[in-house]
Coordinates of all heavy atoms in Angstrom, one line a residue:
T13 N 0.8 -1.2 0.0 CA 0.0 0.0 0.0 C 0.9 1.3 0.0 O 1.8 1.4 0.8 CB -0.9 0.0 1.2 OG1 -1.8 -1.2 1.2 CG2 -1.8 1.2 1.3
L14 N 0.5 2.2 -0.9 CA 1.1 3.5 -0.9 C 0.1 4.4 -0.3 O -1.0 4.6 -0.8 CB 1.4 4.0 -2.3 CG 1.9 5.4 -2.5 CD1 3.3 5.6 -1.8 CD2 2.0 5.8 -3.9
L15 N 0.5 5.0 0.8 CA -0.4 6.0 1.5 C 0.3 7.3 1.6 O 1.5 7.4 2.0 CB -0.7 5.4 2.9 CG -1.6 6.3 3.8 CD1 -2.5 5.4 4.6 CD2 -0.9 7.3 4.7
S16 N -0.4 8.3 1.2 CA 0.1 9.7 1.4 C -1.1 10.6 1.6 O -2.2 10.3 1.3 CB 0.9 10.1 0.1 OG 1.9 11.0 0.5
N17 N -0.8 11.9 2.0 CA -1.9 12.8 2.3 C -2.3 13.4 1.0 O -1.7 13.4 -0.1 CB -1.5 13.8 3.3 CG -0.4 14.7 2.9 OD1 -0.2 15.0 1.7 ND2 0.4 15.3 3.9
A18 N -3.5 14.1 1.1 CA -4.1 14.7 -0.1 C -3.2 15.7 -0.7 O -3.2 15.8 -2.0 CB -5.5 15.3 0.3
E19 N -2.6 16.5 0.1 CA -1.7 17.6 -0.5 C -0.6 17.0 -1.3 O -0.2 17.5 -2.4 CB -1.1 18.4 0.6 CG -0.3 19.6 0.1 CD 0.4 20.4 1.1 OE1 0.3 20.1 2.3 OE2 1.0 21.5 0.8
T20 N 0.0 15.9 -0.9 CA 1.1 15.2 -1.7 C 0.6 14.8 -3.1 O 1.2 15.0 -4.1 CB 1.6 14.0 -0.9 OG1 2.2 14.5 0.3 CG2 2.7 13.3 -1.7
Y21 N -0.6 14.1 -3.1 CA -1.2 13.7 -4.4 C -1.5 14.9 -5.3 O -1.3 14.9 -6.5 CB -2.4 12.8 -4.2 CG -2.0 11.5 -3.7 CD1 -2.4 11.0 -2.4 CD2 -1.2 10.6 -4.5 CE1 -2.1 9.8 -2.0 CE2 -0.9 9.3 -4.0 CZ -1.3 8.9 -2.7 OH -1.0 7.7 -2.3
A22 N -2.0 16.0 -4.7 CA -2.2 17.2 -5.5 C -0.9 17.8 -6.0 O -0.9 18.2 -7.2 CB -2.9 18.3 -4.6
Q23 N 0.2 17.7 -5.3 CA 1.5 18.2 -5.7 C 1.9 17.3 -6.9 O 2.5 17.8 -7.9 CB 2.5 18.1 -4.6 CG 2.3 19.2 -3.6 CD 2.7 20.6 -4.0 OE1 3.3 20.8 -5.1 NE2 2.5 21.6 -3.2
L24 N 1.7 16.0 -6.8 CA 2.1 15.1 -7.9 C 1.3 15.5 -9.2 O 1.9 15.5 -10.3 CB 1.8 13.7 -7.5 CG 2.1 12.6 -8.5 CD1 3.5 12.6 -9.0 CD2 1.7 11.2 -8.0
A25 N 0.0 15.8 -9.1 CA -0.8 16.1 -10.2 C -0.3 17.5 -10.8 O -0.1 17.6 -12.1 CB -2.2 16.3 -9.9
V26 N 0.1 18.4 -10.0 CA 0.6 19.7 -10.5 C 1.9 19.5 -11.2 O 2.1 20.0 -12.3 CB 0.7 20.7 -9.4 CG1 1.5 22.0 -9.8 CG2 -0.7 21.1 -8.8
A27 N 2.8 18.7 -10.6 CA 4.1 18.5 -11.2 C 3.9 17.8 -12.6 O 4.6 18.1 -13.5 CB 5.0 17.6 -10.3
A28 N 3.0 16.9 -12.7 CA 2.8 16.2 -13.9 C 2.2 17.1 -15.0 O 2.5 17.0 -16.2 CB 1.8 15.0 -13.7
R29 N 1.3 18.0 -14.6 CA 0.7 19.0 -15.5 C 1.7 20.0 -16.1 O 1.7 20.3 -17.2 CB -0.5 19.7 -14.9 CG -1.7 18.8 -14.7 CD -2.8 19.6 -14.1 NE -3.9 18.7 -13.9 CZ -5.0 19.0 -13.3 NH1 -5.2 20.2 -12.9 NH2 -6.0 18.1 -13.2
I30 N 2.5 20.5 -15.2 CA 3.4 21.6 -15.6 C 4.8 21.1 -16.0 O 5.6 21.9 -16.6 CB 3.5 22.8 -14.6 CG1 4.2 22.3 -13.3 CG2 2.1 23.3 -14.3 CD1 4.5 23.4 -12.3
G31 N 5.1 19.9 -15.7 CA 6.4 19.3 -16.1 C 7.5 19.6 -15.1 O 7.4 20.5 -14.3
P32 N 8.5 18.7 -15.1 CA 9.5 18.8 -14.0 C 10.4 20.1 -14.0 O 10.7 20.6 -13.0 CB 10.4 17.6 -14.3 CG 10.1 17.2 -15.7 CD 8.7 17.6 -16.0
R33 N 10.6 20.6 -15.2 CA 11.4 21.8 -15.3 C 10.7 23.0 -14.6 O 11.3 23.7 -13.8 CB 11.8 22.1 -16.7 CG 12.7 23.3 -16.9 CD 13.2 23.4 -18.4 NE 13.5 24.7 -18.8 CZ 14.6 25.4 -18.4 NH1 15.5 24.7 -17.7 NH2 14.9 26.6 -18.8
R34 N 9.5 23.2 -15.0 CA 8.7 24.3 -14.5 C 8.4 24.1 -13.0 O 8.5 25.0 -12.2 CB 7.4 24.5 -15.3 CG 6.6 25.7 -14.9 CD 5.5 26.0 -15.9 NE 4.6 26.9 -15.3 CZ 3.3 27.0 -15.6 NH1 2.8 26.2 -16.5 NH2 2.6 27.9 -15.1
Y35 N 8.1 22.9 -12.6 CA 7.8 22.5 -11.2 C 9.1 22.8 -10.4 O 9.0 23.4 -9.3 CB 7.4 21.1 -11.1 CG 7.0 20.8 -9.7 CD1 5.7 21.0 -9.2 CD2 7.8 20.2 -8.8 CE1 5.3 20.7 -8.0 CE2 7.4 19.8 -7.5 CZ 6.1 20.1 -7.1 OH 5.7 19.8 -5.8
G36 N 10.2 22.4 -10.9 CA 11.5 22.6 -10.2 C 11.9 24.1 -10.0 O 12.6 24.4 -9.1
H37 N 11.3 24.9 -10.8 CA 11.6 26.4 -10.7 C 10.5 27.1 -9.9 O 10.6 28.3 -9.8 CB 11.7 27.0 -12.1 CG 13.0 26.6 -12.8 ND1 13.1 25.6 -13.6 CD2 14.3 27.1 -12.6 CE1 14.4 25.4 -14.0 NE2 15.1 26.4 -13.4
T38 N 9.5 26.4 -9.4 CA 8.5 27.0 -8.6 C 8.9 26.7 -7.1 O 9.4 25.6 -6.8 CB 7.1 26.3 -8.8 OG1 6.8 26.4 -10.2 CG2 6.0 26.9 -8.0

């Protein structure tokens, strides 16, 4: 089981949407 909080999954979705380069500069 992978368990994480809601904020972590939201961050994953944002990173996937904007890409690693842009996410890394935020």
Side-chain angles (χ1 to χ4, degrees):
T13 300
L14 174 66
L15 180 144
S16 209
N17 66 27
E19 183 182 7
T20 300
Y21 289 115
Q23 289 286 353
L24 177 59
V26 169
R29 285 182 185 175
I30 67 174
R33 182 171 156 77
R34 187 169 167 208
Y35 187 84
H37 287 95
T38 303

